[in-house]
């Protein structure tokens, strides 16, 4: 038996992706890669591959709640990471869950559609997230498309909101930090901006990679959760998580006929390559 302290436990609540590219599988791989112990609560089962989502079934909210409550009665959790929830009922039970653990940081990846464009959240679910969930989380990590959709005060609002305005509106809901990623923006580099009520905390620029990736948002949010669990303060956790995610994208691979998948264990294969070079 090891005399070392156990790895920090992070509880992730997300949908299952059988391709291993996104969802709870991406969370588990990322957290394990960063030295955390991932606890996983499945909120939905999807039928998907690296090309896209064909169908999904949302789990009953009582089952979601029971999965999480049993774990929390047994294992001390340092951080919550939330991904796809799939229903208003699931948003409500997760909102109550994190309210019962107010000292545990929460990272919310607002999954509204799949990388292939399949809708995973309707207007009612988005409204529930705005009202019940976002006010309680420590940081929300939308891409620019998700940020604009979440920030719209009126479904008929035609104006394309600036990302600064999106951040302002999301912060006004009560969330203390918003990280908006710029993958979908028409910029030479990808610019990820971390906002607080005082303005931009940091803006990080990354080389725009040519491939299309499945699970990059899940990887980033889980990496932030993992970095927080290991003791980093939030701005530094965001910076380190971006570096980890970028390296996983650079080392990404295409296992099927669709998008590339980040290699969350890139460091292990780098070590293997180094060992091979020394022979």
């Amino acid at each position: 038996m090891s005399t070392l302290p156990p790895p920090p436990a992070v509880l992730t609540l997300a949908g299952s992706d059988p391709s291993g590219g996104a969802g709870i599988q991406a969370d588990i791989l990322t957290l394990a890669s960063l030295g955390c112990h991932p606890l996983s609560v499945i909120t939905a089962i999807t039928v998907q591959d690296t090309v896209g989502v064909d169908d999904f079934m949302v789990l009953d909210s009582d089952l979601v709640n029971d999965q999480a409550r049993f774990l929390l009665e047994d294992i001390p959790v340092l951080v919550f990471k939330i991904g796809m929830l799939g229903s208003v009922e699931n948003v409500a039970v997760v909102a109550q869950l994190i309210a019962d653990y107010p000292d545990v940081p929460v990272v919310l990846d607002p999954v509204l559609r799949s990388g292939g464009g399949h809708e995973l959240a309707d207007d009612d679910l988005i409204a529930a997230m705005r009202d019940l969930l976002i006010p309680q989380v420590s940081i929300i990590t939308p891409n620019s498309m998700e940020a604009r959709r979440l920030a719209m005060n009126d479904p008929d609002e035609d104006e394309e909101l600036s990302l600064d305005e999106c951040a302002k509106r999301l912060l006004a809901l009560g969330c203390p930090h918003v990280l908006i990623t710029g993958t979908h923006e028409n910029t030479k580099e990808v610019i990820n901006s971390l906002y607080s009520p005082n303005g931009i905390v940091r803006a990080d620029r990354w080389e725009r990679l040519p491939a299309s990736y499945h699970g990059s948002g899940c990887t980033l949010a889980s990496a932030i959760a993992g970095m927080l669990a290991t003791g980093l303060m939030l701005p530094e956790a965001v910076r380190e998580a971006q570096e980890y995610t970028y390296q996983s994208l650079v080392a990404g691979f295409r296992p099927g006929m669709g998008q590339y998948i980040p290699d969350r264990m890139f460091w292990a294969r780098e070590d293997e390559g180094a060992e091979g070079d020394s022979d």
Side-chain angles (χ1 to χ4, degrees), residues 36-125:
C36 297
H37 178 60
L39 308 175
S40 55
V41 170
I42 295 176
T43 60
I45 297 171
T46 69
V47 179
Q48 68 175 302
D49 55 18
T50 60
V51 177
V53 176
D54 182 69
D55 199 3
F56 67 93
M57 179 182 72
V58 178
L59 269 63
D60 182 83
S61 59
D62 288 340
L63 185 57
V64 172
N65 187 60
D66 288 348
Q67 289 181 77
R69 297 284 181 181
F70 265 65
L71 287 170
L72 288 162
E73 289 174 5
D74 179 40
I75 302 172
V77 169
L78 295 185
V79 183
F80 292 120
K81 185 271 176 180
I82 302 171
M84 174 187 176
L85 293 178
S87 70
V88 171
E89 293 78 12
N90 280 348
V91 171
V93 299
V94 172
Q96 183 57 60
L97 181 79
I98 63 175
D100 291 342
Y101 294 85
D103 296 331
V104 178
V106 183
V107 180
L108 172 61
D109 175 19
V111 179
L112 306 183
R113 66 174 58 184
S114 70
H118 193 105
E119 290 291 338
L120 302 175
D122 60 18
D123 290 341
D124 289 340
L125 192 151

Coordinates of all heavy atoms in Angstrom, one line a residue, residues 36-125:
C36 N -4.9 13.6 -11.6 CA -6.1 13.6 -10.7 C -6.8 12.2 -10.8 O -6.6 11.4 -11.7 CB -7.0 14.7 -11.2 SG -6.4 16.4 -11.1
H37 N -7.7 12.0 -9.8 CA -8.6 10.9 -9.8 C -9.9 11.3 -10.3 O -10.6 12.0 -9.6 CB -8.7 10.3 -8.4 CG -9.6 9.1 -8.4 ND1 -9.3 7.9 -9.2 CD2 -10.7 8.8 -7.7 CE1 -10.3 7.0 -8.9 NE2 -11.2 7.6 -8.1
P38 N -10.3 10.9 -11.6 CA -11.6 11.3 -12.1 C -12.8 10.5 -11.6 O -12.8 9.3 -11.7 CB -11.4 11.2 -13.6 CG -10.4 10.1 -13.8 CD -9.5 10.1 -12.5
L39 N -13.8 11.2 -11.0 CA -15.0 10.6 -10.7 C -16.0 11.0 -11.7 O -16.1 12.1 -12.1 CB -15.5 11.0 -9.3 CG -14.5 10.9 -8.1 CD1 -15.1 11.5 -6.9 CD2 -14.1 9.5 -7.9
S40 N -16.8 10.0 -12.3 CA -17.6 10.4 -13.4 C -19.1 10.0 -13.2 O -19.5 8.9 -12.8 CB -17.1 9.6 -14.7 OG -17.1 8.2 -14.4
V41 N -19.9 11.0 -13.5 CA -21.4 10.9 -13.5 C -21.9 11.1 -14.9 O -21.7 12.2 -15.5 CB -22.0 11.9 -12.5 CG1 -23.5 12.0 -12.7 CG2 -21.6 11.6 -11.1
I42 N -22.5 10.1 -15.4 CA -23.0 10.2 -16.8 C -24.4 10.8 -16.8 O -25.3 10.4 -16.1 CB -23.0 8.8 -17.5 CG1 -21.6 8.3 -17.6 CG2 -23.7 8.9 -18.8 CD1 -21.5 6.9 -18.1
T43 N -24.5 11.8 -17.7 CA -25.8 12.6 -17.8 C -26.6 12.2 -19.0 O -27.8 12.4 -19.1 CB -25.6 14.1 -17.8 OG1 -24.7 14.4 -19.0 CG2 -24.9 14.5 -16.6
A44 N -25.9 11.6 -20.0 CA -26.6 11.3 -21.3 C -25.7 10.2 -22.0 O -24.5 10.2 -21.8 CB -26.7 12.5 -22.2
I45 N -26.4 9.4 -22.8 CA -25.7 8.5 -23.7 C -25.9 8.9 -25.1 O -27.0 9.2 -25.5 CB -26.3 7.1 -23.4 CG1 -26.0 6.6 -22.0 CG2 -25.6 6.1 -24.4 CD1 -26.8 5.3 -21.6
T46 N -24.8 9.0 -25.8 CA -24.8 9.4 -27.2 C -24.5 8.3 -28.2 O -23.8 7.4 -27.9 CB -23.9 10.6 -27.5 OG1 -22.5 10.1 -27.4 CG2 -24.1 11.7 -26.5
V47 N -25.0 8.4 -29.4 CA -24.7 7.6 -30.5 C -23.9 8.5 -31.4 O -24.4 9.4 -32.1 CB -25.9 7.0 -31.2 CG1 -25.5 6.2 -32.4 CG2 -26.7 6.2 -30.3
Q48 N -22.6 8.4 -31.4 CA -21.7 9.3 -32.2 C -20.4 8.6 -32.5 O -20.0 7.6 -31.9 CB -21.5 10.6 -31.5 CG -20.7 10.6 -30.2 CD -20.4 11.9 -29.7 OE1 -19.8 12.8 -30.3 NE2 -20.8 12.2 -28.4
D49 N -19.7 9.2 -33.5 CA -18.4 8.8 -33.9 C -17.6 10.1 -34.1 O -18.0 11.2 -33.6 CB -18.4 7.9 -35.1 CG -19.1 8.5 -36.3 OD1 -19.3 9.8 -36.3 OD2 -19.5 7.8 -37.3
T50 N -16.5 10.0 -34.8 CA -15.7 11.3 -35.0 C -16.3 12.2 -36.0 O -15.8 13.3 -36.2 CB -14.2 10.9 -35.4 OG1 -14.2 10.1 -36.6 CG2 -13.5 10.1 -34.3
V51 N -17.3 11.7 -36.7 CA -17.9 12.5 -37.8 C -19.0 13.4 -37.1 O -19.1 14.6 -37.4 CB -18.5 11.7 -38.9 CG1 -19.3 12.5 -39.9 CG2 -17.4 10.9 -39.6
G52 N -19.8 12.8 -36.2 CA -20.9 13.6 -35.6 C -21.8 12.8 -34.7 O -21.6 11.6 -34.6
V53 N -22.8 13.4 -34.2 CA -23.8 12.8 -33.3 C -24.9 12.3 -34.1 O -25.5 13.1 -34.9 CB -24.2 13.7 -32.2 CG1 -25.3 13.1 -31.3 CG2 -23.1 14.1 -31.3
D54 N -25.3 11.0 -34.0 CA -26.5 10.5 -34.7 C -27.7 10.6 -33.8 O -28.8 10.9 -34.3 CB -26.3 9.1 -35.1 CG -27.4 8.5 -35.9 OD1 -27.6 9.0 -37.0 OD2 -28.1 7.6 -35.3
D55 N -27.6 10.4 -32.5 CA -28.7 10.4 -31.6 C -28.2 10.5 -30.1 O -27.0 10.2 -29.9 CB -29.5 9.1 -31.7 CG -30.9 9.2 -31.2 OD1 -31.3 10.3 -30.7 OD2 -31.7 8.2 -31.2
F56 N -29.1 10.8 -29.2 CA -28.6 10.7 -27.8 C -29.9 10.5 -26.9 O -31.0 10.8 -27.3 CB -27.9 12.0 -27.4 CG -28.7 13.3 -27.4 CD1 -29.3 13.7 -26.2 CD2 -28.8 14.1 -28.5 CE1 -30.1 14.9 -26.2 CE2 -29.6 15.2 -28.5 CZ -30.2 15.7 -27.3
M57 N -29.6 10.0 -25.7 CA -30.7 9.8 -24.7 C -30.2 10.4 -23.4 O -29.1 10.0 -22.9 CB -30.9 8.3 -24.5 CG -32.0 8.0 -23.5 SD -32.2 6.2 -23.2 CE -30.7 5.8 -22.3
V58 N -31.0 11.3 -22.9 CA -30.7 11.9 -21.6 C -31.1 11.0 -20.5 O -32.2 10.5 -20.5 CB -31.4 13.3 -21.5 CG1 -31.1 14.0 -20.2 CG2 -30.9 14.2 -22.7
L59 N -30.3 10.9 -19.5 CA -30.6 10.1 -18.3 C -31.5 10.8 -17.4 O -31.5 12.0 -17.3 CB -29.3 9.7 -17.6 CG -28.7 8.3 -18.0 CD1 -28.2 8.4 -19.4 CD2 -27.5 8.0 -17.0
D60 N -32.4 10.0 -16.7 CA -33.3 10.6 -15.7 C -32.6 11.4 -14.7 O -31.5 11.0 -14.2 CB -34.1 9.5 -15.1 CG -35.2 10.0 -14.1 OD1 -36.2 10.4 -14.6 OD2 -34.9 10.0 -12.9
S61 N -33.1 12.5 -14.3 CA -32.4 13.4 -13.3 C -32.2 12.8 -12.0 O -31.2 13.0 -11.3 CB -33.2 14.7 -13.2 OG -34.5 14.5 -12.7
D62 N -33.1 11.9 -11.5 CA -32.9 11.2 -10.3 C -31.7 10.3 -10.3 O -31.0 10.2 -9.3 CB -34.2 10.4 -9.9 CG -35.4 11.2 -9.5 OD1 -35.1 12.4 -9.1 OD2 -36.5 10.7 -9.6
L63 N -31.5 9.6 -11.5 CA -30.3 8.8 -11.6 C -29.0 9.6 -11.6 O -28.0 9.2 -11.0 CB -30.5 7.9 -12.9 CG -29.4 6.9 -13.1 CD1 -29.3 5.9 -12.0 CD2 -29.7 6.1 -14.4
V64 N -29.1 10.7 -12.3 CA -27.9 11.6 -12.3 C -27.6 12.1 -10.9 O -26.5 12.0 -10.4 CB -28.2 12.8 -13.2 CG1 -27.1 13.9 -13.0 CG2 -28.3 12.4 -14.6
N65 N -28.7 12.5 -10.1 CA -28.5 12.9 -8.8 C -27.9 11.8 -7.9 O -27.0 12.1 -7.1 CB -29.8 13.4 -8.2 CG -29.7 14.1 -6.9 OD1 -29.0 15.1 -6.7 ND2 -30.4 13.5 -5.9
D66 N -28.5 10.6 -8.0 CA -28.0 9.5 -7.2 C -26.6 9.1 -7.4 O -25.8 8.9 -6.5 CB -28.9 8.3 -7.4 CG -30.3 8.4 -6.8 OD1 -30.5 9.4 -6.0 OD2 -31.2 7.6 -7.1
Q67 N -26.2 9.2 -8.7 CA -24.8 8.9 -9.0 C -23.8 9.8 -8.3 O -22.8 9.4 -7.7 CB -24.5 9.0 -10.5 CG -25.1 8.0 -11.4 CD -24.8 8.3 -12.9 OE1 -23.6 8.1 -13.3 NE2 -25.7 8.9 -13.6
A68 N -24.2 11.1 -8.3 CA -23.3 12.1 -7.7 C -23.3 12.0 -6.2 O -22.3 12.1 -5.5 CB -23.7 13.5 -8.2
R69 N -24.5 11.9 -5.6 CA -24.7 11.9 -4.2 C -23.9 10.8 -3.5 O -23.3 10.9 -2.5 CB -26.1 11.9 -3.8 CG -26.9 13.1 -4.3 CD -26.7 14.4 -3.4 NE -27.5 15.5 -3.9 CZ -27.4 16.7 -3.4 NH1 -26.6 17.0 -2.3 NH2 -28.1 17.7 -3.8
F70 N -24.0 9.6 -4.1 CA -23.3 8.4 -3.6 C -21.8 8.7 -3.5 O -21.1 8.4 -2.5 CB -23.7 7.2 -4.4 CG -24.8 6.4 -3.8 CD1 -26.1 6.9 -3.8 CD2 -24.6 5.1 -3.3 CE1 -27.1 6.1 -3.2 CE2 -25.6 4.3 -2.8 CZ -26.9 4.9 -2.8
L71 N -21.3 9.2 -4.6 CA -19.8 9.5 -4.7 C -19.5 10.5 -3.6 O -18.4 10.4 -2.9 CB -19.5 10.0 -6.0 CG -19.4 9.0 -7.2 CD1 -19.3 9.7 -8.5 CD2 -18.3 8.0 -7.0
L72 N -20.2 11.6 -3.5 CA -19.9 12.7 -2.6 C -20.0 12.3 -1.1 O -19.3 12.9 -0.3 CB -20.8 13.9 -2.9 CG -20.5 14.6 -4.2 CD1 -21.7 15.5 -4.6 CD2 -19.2 15.4 -4.1
E73 N -20.8 11.3 -0.8 CA -20.8 10.8 0.6 C -19.6 10.0 0.9 O -19.4 9.7 2.1 CB -22.1 10.0 0.8 CG -23.4 10.9 0.8 CD -24.7 10.1 0.8 OE1 -24.6 8.8 1.0 OE2 -25.8 10.7 0.7
D74 N -18.9 9.5 -0.1 CA -17.8 8.6 0.1 C -16.4 9.3 -0.1 O -15.5 9.0 0.7 CB -17.9 7.4 -0.9 CG -16.8 6.4 -0.8 OD1 -16.4 6.1 0.3 OD2 -16.4 5.9 -1.9
I75 N -16.3 10.1 -1.1 CA -15.0 10.6 -1.5 C -15.0 12.2 -1.5 O -15.8 12.8 -2.1 CB -14.6 10.2 -3.0 CG1 -14.7 8.6 -3.0 CG2 -13.3 10.7 -3.4 CD1 -14.5 8.1 -4.4
P76 N -14.0 12.8 -0.8 CA -13.9 14.2 -0.8 C -13.5 14.7 -2.3 O -12.5 14.3 -2.8 CB -12.7 14.5 0.1 CG -12.6 13.3 1.0 CD -13.0 12.2 0.1
V77 N -14.3 15.6 -2.8 CA -14.1 16.2 -4.1 C -13.6 17.6 -4.0 O -14.1 18.4 -3.3 CB -15.4 16.1 -4.9 CG1 -15.3 16.9 -6.2 CG2 -15.9 14.7 -5.2
L78 N -12.5 17.8 -4.8 CA -11.9 19.2 -4.8 C -12.5 20.1 -5.8 O -12.4 21.3 -5.6 CB -10.4 19.0 -5.0 CG -9.6 18.3 -3.9 CD1 -8.1 18.3 -4.1 CD2 -10.0 18.9 -2.5
V79 N -12.9 19.6 -7.0 CA -13.5 20.4 -8.0 C -14.6 19.7 -8.8 O -14.5 18.5 -8.9 CB -12.4 20.8 -9.1 CG1 -12.9 21.7 -10.1 CG2 -11.2 21.5 -8.4
F80 N -15.6 20.4 -9.2 CA -16.6 19.9 -10.1 C -16.3 20.4 -11.5 O -16.0 21.5 -11.7 CB -18.0 20.4 -9.7 CG -18.6 19.9 -8.4 CD1 -18.9 20.8 -7.4 CD2 -18.8 18.5 -8.2 CE1 -19.4 20.3 -6.2 CE2 -19.3 18.1 -7.0 CZ -19.6 18.9 -6.0
K81 N -16.5 19.5 -12.5 CA -16.5 19.9 -13.9 C -17.8 19.5 -14.5 O -18.2 18.3 -14.4 CB -15.3 19.3 -14.6 CG -15.1 19.8 -16.0 CD -15.9 18.9 -17.0 CE -15.8 19.4 -18.4 NZ -16.5 18.6 -19.4
I82 N -18.5 20.4 -15.2 CA -19.8 20.1 -15.7 C -19.7 20.3 -17.2 O -19.3 21.3 -17.8 CB -20.9 21.1 -15.2 CG1 -20.9 20.9 -13.6 CG2 -22.2 20.8 -15.8 CD1 -21.8 22.0 -13.0
G83 N -20.2 19.3 -18.0 CA -20.3 19.3 -19.4 C -21.8 19.3 -19.9 O -22.6 20.0 -19.3
M84 N -22.1 18.4 -20.8 CA -23.4 18.2 -21.3 C -24.4 17.8 -20.2 O -24.1 16.8 -19.6 CB -23.4 17.2 -22.5 CG -24.8 16.9 -23.0 SD -24.7 15.6 -24.3 CE -26.5 15.4 -24.6
L85 N -25.5 18.5 -20.1 CA -26.5 18.0 -19.1 C -27.8 17.5 -19.8 O -28.4 16.6 -19.3 CB -26.8 19.2 -18.2 CG -25.7 19.6 -17.3 CD1 -26.1 20.8 -16.4 CD2 -25.2 18.4 -16.4
G86 N -28.1 18.1 -20.9 CA -29.2 17.4 -21.8 C -30.6 17.8 -21.5 O -31.5 17.5 -22.3
S87 N -30.9 18.2 -20.3 CA -32.3 18.5 -19.9 C -32.4 19.6 -18.9 O -31.5 19.7 -18.1 CB -33.1 17.2 -19.5 OG -32.6 16.8 -18.2
V88 N -33.5 20.2 -18.8 CA -33.8 21.2 -17.7 C -33.8 20.6 -16.4 O -33.2 21.1 -15.4 CB -35.1 21.9 -18.0 CG1 -35.5 22.8 -16.8 CG2 -35.1 22.8 -19.3
E89 N -34.3 19.3 -16.3 CA -34.3 18.6 -15.0 C -32.9 18.3 -14.5 O -32.6 18.4 -13.3 CB -35.1 17.3 -15.2 CG -36.6 17.5 -15.4 CD -36.9 17.9 -16.9 OE1 -36.1 17.8 -17.7 OE2 -38.1 18.3 -17.1
N90 N -32.0 18.0 -15.4 CA -30.6 17.7 -15.0 C -29.9 19.0 -14.6 O -29.1 19.0 -13.7 CB -29.9 17.0 -16.2 CG -30.1 15.6 -16.3 OD1 -30.7 15.0 -15.3 ND2 -29.7 14.9 -17.3
V91 N -30.2 20.1 -15.3 CA -29.7 21.4 -14.9 C -30.1 21.7 -13.4 O -29.3 22.1 -12.6 CB -30.1 22.5 -15.8 CG1 -29.7 23.9 -15.2 CG2 -29.5 22.3 -17.2
A92 N -31.4 21.4 -13.1 CA -31.9 21.7 -11.8 C -31.3 20.9 -10.7 O -30.9 21.4 -9.7 CB -33.4 21.5 -11.8
V93 N -31.1 19.6 -11.0 CA -30.5 18.8 -9.9 C -29.0 19.1 -9.7 O -28.5 19.0 -8.6 CB -30.7 17.2 -10.2 CG1 -32.2 16.9 -10.2 CG2 -30.0 16.8 -11.4
V94 N -28.3 19.4 -10.8 CA -26.9 19.7 -10.7 C -26.7 21.1 -10.0 O -25.8 21.3 -9.2 CB -26.2 19.7 -12.1 CG1 -24.8 20.2 -12.0 CG2 -26.2 18.3 -12.6
A95 N -27.6 22.0 -10.3 CA -27.6 23.3 -9.6 C -27.8 23.1 -8.1 O -27.1 23.8 -7.3 CB -28.7 24.2 -10.2
Q96 N -28.7 22.3 -7.7 CA -28.9 22.0 -6.3 C -27.7 21.3 -5.7 O -27.3 21.6 -4.5 CB -30.2 21.2 -6.1 CG -30.5 20.9 -4.6 CD -30.6 22.2 -3.8 OE1 -31.5 23.0 -4.1 NE2 -29.8 22.4 -2.8
L97 N -27.1 20.4 -6.5 CA -25.9 19.6 -6.0 C -24.8 20.5 -5.7 O -24.2 20.5 -4.6 CB -25.5 18.6 -7.1 CG -24.3 17.7 -6.8 CD1 -24.8 16.6 -5.9 CD2 -23.7 17.2 -8.1
I98 N -24.4 21.4 -6.6 CA -23.3 22.3 -6.3 C -23.6 23.3 -5.2 O -22.7 23.8 -4.5 CB -22.7 22.9 -7.6 CG1 -23.8 23.9 -8.2 CG2 -22.3 21.9 -8.6 CD1 -23.3 24.6 -9.5
A99 N -24.9 23.7 -5.1 CA -25.3 24.6 -4.0 C -25.1 24.0 -2.7 O -24.8 24.7 -1.7 CB -26.8 25.0 -4.2
D100 N -25.1 22.7 -2.6 CA -24.9 22.0 -1.3 C -23.4 21.9 -1.0 O -23.0 21.4 0.1 CB -25.5 20.6 -1.4 CG -27.0 20.6 -1.4 OD1 -27.6 21.7 -1.0 OD2 -27.7 19.6 -1.7
Y101 N -22.5 22.2 -2.0 CA -21.1 22.1 -1.8 C -20.5 23.5 -2.2 O -19.7 23.5 -3.2 CB -20.5 21.0 -2.5 CG -20.9 19.6 -2.0 CD1 -22.1 19.0 -2.4 CD2 -20.2 18.9 -1.1 CE1 -22.5 17.8 -2.0 CE2 -20.6 17.7 -0.6 CZ -21.7 17.2 -1.0 OH -22.1 15.9 -0.5
P102 N -20.8 24.6 -1.5 CA -20.5 25.9 -2.0 C -19.0 26.2 -2.0 O -18.5 27.1 -2.6 CB -21.2 26.8 -1.0 CG -21.4 26.0 0.2 CD -21.6 24.6 -0.3
D103 N -18.2 25.4 -1.2 CA -16.7 25.6 -1.2 C -16.0 24.9 -2.2 O -14.7 25.0 -2.3 CB -16.2 25.2 0.2 CG -16.8 26.0 1.3 OD1 -17.1 27.2 1.1 OD2 -16.9 25.5 2.5
V104 N -16.7 24.1 -3.1 CA -16.0 23.4 -4.1 C -16.1 24.2 -5.4 O -17.1 24.5 -5.9 CB -16.6 22.0 -4.3 CG1 -16.0 21.2 -5.5 CG2 -16.6 21.1 -3.0
P105 N -14.9 24.5 -6.0 CA -14.9 25.2 -7.3 C -15.7 24.4 -8.4 O -15.6 23.2 -8.4 CB -13.5 25.4 -7.6 CG -12.7 25.2 -6.4 CD -13.5 24.2 -5.6
V106 N -16.3 25.2 -9.3 CA -17.0 24.6 -10.4 C -16.6 25.1 -11.7 O -16.6 26.3 -11.9 CB -18.5 24.8 -10.2 CG1 -19.3 24.1 -11.4 CG2 -19.0 24.3 -8.9
V107 N -16.2 24.2 -12.7 CA -15.9 24.6 -14.0 C -17.0 24.2 -14.9 O -17.3 23.0 -15.0 CB -14.5 24.0 -14.5 CG1 -14.2 24.4 -15.9 CG2 -13.4 24.3 -13.5
L108 N -17.6 25.1 -15.7 CA -18.7 24.8 -16.5 C -18.3 24.9 -18.0 O -18.0 26.0 -18.4 CB -19.9 25.7 -16.2 CG -21.1 25.6 -17.2 CD1 -21.7 24.2 -17.2 CD2 -22.2 26.6 -16.8
D109 N -18.4 23.8 -18.7 CA -18.2 23.8 -20.2 C -19.7 23.7 -20.7 O -20.3 22.7 -20.7 CB -17.4 22.6 -20.6 CG -17.3 22.5 -22.1 OD1 -17.6 23.5 -22.8 OD2 -17.0 21.4 -22.6
P110 N -20.2 24.8 -21.3 CA -21.6 24.8 -21.7 C -21.8 24.2 -23.0 O -21.8 24.8 -24.1 CB -21.9 26.3 -21.7 CG -20.6 27.0 -22.1 CD -19.6 26.1 -21.4
V111 N -22.0 22.9 -23.0 CA -22.1 22.1 -24.3 C -23.5 22.4 -24.8 O -24.5 21.9 -24.3 CB -21.8 20.6 -24.0 CG1 -22.0 19.9 -25.3 CG2 -20.4 20.4 -23.4
L112 N -23.6 23.1 -26.0 CA -24.8 23.4 -26.6 C -25.0 22.7 -27.9 O -26.2 22.4 -28.3 CB -24.9 24.9 -26.8 CG -24.7 25.8 -25.6 CD1 -24.9 27.3 -26.0 CD2 -25.6 25.5 -24.5
R113 N -24.0 22.3 -28.5 CA -24.1 21.5 -29.8 C -22.8 20.7 -29.9 O -21.7 21.0 -29.3 CB -24.3 22.3 -31.0 CG -23.2 23.3 -31.4 CD -23.5 24.0 -32.7 NE -24.7 24.8 -32.7 CZ -25.2 25.4 -33.7 NH1 -24.6 25.3 -34.9 NH2 -26.3 26.1 -33.6
S114 N -22.8 19.6 -30.7 CA -21.6 18.8 -30.9 C -20.7 19.5 -31.9 O -21.1 20.5 -32.6 CB -22.0 17.5 -31.5 OG -22.5 17.6 -32.8
G115 N -19.5 19.0 -32.0 CA -18.5 19.6 -32.9 C -19.0 19.5 -34.4 O -18.6 20.3 -35.2
G116 N -19.8 18.5 -34.6 CA -20.4 18.3 -36.0 C -21.6 19.1 -36.2 O -22.2 19.0 -37.3
G117 N -22.1 19.9 -35.2 CA -23.2 20.8 -35.4 C -24.6 20.3 -34.9 O -25.6 20.9 -35.0
H118 N -24.6 19.1 -34.3 CA -25.9 18.5 -33.7 C -26.3 19.3 -32.5 O -25.5 19.4 -31.6 CB -25.7 17.0 -33.4 CG -26.9 16.3 -33.2 ND1 -27.5 15.4 -34.1 CD2 -27.8 16.3 -32.1 CE1 -28.6 14.9 -33.6 NE2 -28.8 15.4 -32.4
E119 N -27.5 19.8 -32.5 CA -28.0 20.5 -31.3 C -28.2 19.6 -30.1 O -28.8 18.6 -30.2 CB -29.4 21.2 -31.7 CG -29.3 22.3 -32.7 CD -28.6 23.5 -32.1 OE1 -28.5 23.7 -30.9 OE2 -28.1 24.3 -32.9
L120 N -27.6 20.1 -29.0 CA -27.7 19.3 -27.7 C -28.4 20.1 -26.6 O -28.5 19.6 -25.5 CB -26.3 18.9 -27.3 CG -25.5 18.1 -28.3 CD1 -24.0 17.9 -27.7 CD2 -26.1 16.8 -28.5
A121 N -28.9 21.3 -26.9 CA -29.5 22.1 -25.9 C -30.5 23.1 -26.6 O -30.2 23.7 -27.6 CB -28.5 23.0 -25.2
D122 N -31.8 23.1 -26.1 CA -32.8 24.0 -26.6 C -32.8 25.2 -25.8 O -32.1 25.4 -24.8 CB -34.1 23.3 -26.7 CG -34.7 22.8 -25.4 OD1 -34.1 23.3 -24.3 OD2 -35.6 22.0 -25.4
D123 N -33.8 26.1 -26.2 CA -33.8 27.4 -25.5 C -34.2 27.3 -24.0 O -33.7 28.1 -23.2 CB -34.9 28.3 -26.2 CG -34.4 28.8 -27.6 OD1 -33.2 28.7 -27.8 OD2 -35.2 29.2 -28.4
D124 N -35.1 26.3 -23.7 CA -35.5 26.1 -22.3 C -34.3 25.7 -21.5 O -34.1 26.2 -20.3 CB -36.6 25.1 -22.2 CG -37.9 25.6 -22.7 OD1 -38.1 26.8 -22.8 OD2 -38.8 24.8 -23.0
L125 N -33.4 24.8 -22.0 CA -32.3 24.4 -21.3 C -31.3 25.5 -21.1 O -30.7 25.7 -20.0 CB -31.6 23.2 -22.0 CG -30.5 22.4 -21.3 CD1 -30.5 21.0 -21.7 CD2 -29.1 23.0 -21.4

